[in-house]
Amino acid sequence: MEIKRIGVVGAGQMGNGIAHVMALAGYEVVLNDISQDALDDAVARIARNIDRQVARDMVSGDDRDAAMARISTSLAIADTAATDLVIEAATEREDIKNKIFESLQPDLLPHTILTSNTSSISITRLASRTDRPERFMGFHFMNPVPVMQLVELIRGIATDQDTYDTCLAVVQRLGKTAASAEDFPAFIVNRILMPMINEAVYTLYEGVGNVTSIDMAMKLGTNHPMGPLELADFIGLDTCLAIMNVLHDGLADTKYRPCPLLTKYVEAGWLGRKTKRGFYDYRGETPVPTR
């Protein structure tokens, strides 16, 4: 099936990034959110980000204008449902995702493919709550979407080959690379990444090193572009904790037990960059370690 029109549910960091790359690739995009302010902010952010690409000669001015013209916004979930492909990019909570797919149901076209940008939740379980588990799969973009080259494609137990092939063709049209993952908790990237971040938090919790020394050790000692605590702040500590809980609950192995310090930061509302405080304090000109 040829995809022409794509609905994106959620205009946050991931949703606006997905809309950005889809519009540049020539797809018509309907971006949905429950907040008009969020939609307006998303369109403004997309425009700024594409302008940066134009300034770096990565995108032409004509392509920028054409991409922005392909993006429409709507508070009505029905507008998003009446598309060829829906990508749900809401917060990482299964109950919210289920409500979104339930609200999409009455207005879906017979051929519409449903996907979730979830980074850890069971695709099989999400699909089972819809009327089309064979046309449902995981479509997991990395953050920031316009920069990162990988997309994880996750098949649920019922996902058919046509659905996978169609989504793979979309990834290829974006100029990105697909990694095929089986439907187990946190898939590939976060199955490996989040325990590393969690272990870095344990290293801080146990006093083995402070924030600066832990991040410096991993950047200079293993050539990582960003230290694990800095990366956790970038991802969002609430998201890191949610994924660790999915791993711990889904695999029942104590090695995935979330560090109590990570839980404490989330309980304090120190979620990283988006709240200006996490393992670093971002309220000044230069980030300052909080421990």
Side-chain angles (χ1 to χ4, degrees), residues 29 114 246 280:
V29 178
L114 292 176
V246 167
Y280 293 85

Side-chain angles (χ1 to χ4, degrees), residues 52-290:
R52 289 194 193 99
Q53 292 177 304
V54 172
R56 296 171 185 165
D57 293 325
M58 300 168 65
V59 173
S60 73
D62 288 344
D63 286 344
R64 171 197 57 204
D65 295 343
M68 293 306 300
R70 292 187 193 105
I71 299 172
S72 61
T73 63
S74 177
L75 294 171
I77 196 84
D79 294 335
T80 314
T83 56
D84 302 315
L85 170 67
V86 175
I87 303 173
E88 171 274 313
T91 190
E92 192 69 356
R93 281 179 49 188
E94 189 167 350
D95 58 333
I96 290 175
K97 293 181 186 296
N98 282 329
K99 286 178 183 175
I100 288 169
F101 289 121
E102 182 179 347
S103 65
L104 287 164
Q105 197 75 58
D107 300 290
L108 293 173
L109 304 176
H111 65 271
T112 301
I113 292 174
L114 292 176
T115 68
S116 175
N117 185 57
T118 179
S119 55
S120 62
I121 297 169
S122 168
I123 297 302
T124 298
R125 199 163 60 238
L126 289 173
S128 71
R129 302 286 296 273
T130 74
D131 70 338
R132 58 193 68 206
E134 72 286 349
R135 291 196 298 282
F136 191 112
M137 68 180 300
F139 209 147
H140 180 214
F141 288 84
M142 305 297 118
N143 186 30
V145 178
V147 175
M148 301 296 281
Q149 292 301 302
L150 184 74
V151 179
E152 281 184 311
L153 293 180
I154 307 103
R155 278 184 267 214
I157 195 169
T159 306
D160 65 26
Q161 189 62 40
D162 285 345
T163 298
Y164 177 85
D165 291 342
T166 300
C167 290
L168 177 60
V170 172
V171 174
Q172 292 169 339
R173 180 164 161 179
L174 296 177
K176 296 186 183 295
T177 300
S180 181
E182 293 301 315
D183 185 24
F184 289 97
F187 320 129
I188 296 172
V189 172
N190 283 318
R191 172 76 176 265
I192 297 167
L193 174 64
M194 286 302 158
M196 184 197 77
I197 288 175
N198 194 52
E199 194 62 29
V201 182
Y202 266 115
T203 305
L204 178 65
Y205 177 61
E206 294 169 5
V208 180
N210 60 26
V211 168
T212 301
S213 62
I214 292 167
D215 276 352
M216 184 185 300
M218 293 304 290
K219 284 193 284 188
L220 301 183
T222 63
N223 206 29
H224 288 193
M226 192 181 292
L229 301 176
E230 183 185 1
L231 179 58
D233 276 356
F234 180 76
I235 294 168
L237 304 192
D238 52 338
T239 300
C240 294
L241 180 60
I243 295 170
M244 286 308 303
N245 281 326
V246 167
L247 281 166
H248 191 231
D249 295 344
L251 299 172
D253 192 323
T254 56
K255 73 180 180 180
Y256 298 116
R257 182 172 70 97
C259 179
L261 183 60
L262 178 60
T263 302
K264 182 182 289 188
Y265 269 68
V266 173
E267 288 174 346
W270 291 20
L271 308 181
R273 284 184 176 272
K274 61 188 173 185
T275 59
K276 303 296 184 184
R277 279 193 289 188
F279 293 113
Y280 293 85
D281 188 325
Y282 300 93
R283 293 175 296 175
E285 290 185 11
T286 305
V288 178
T290 54

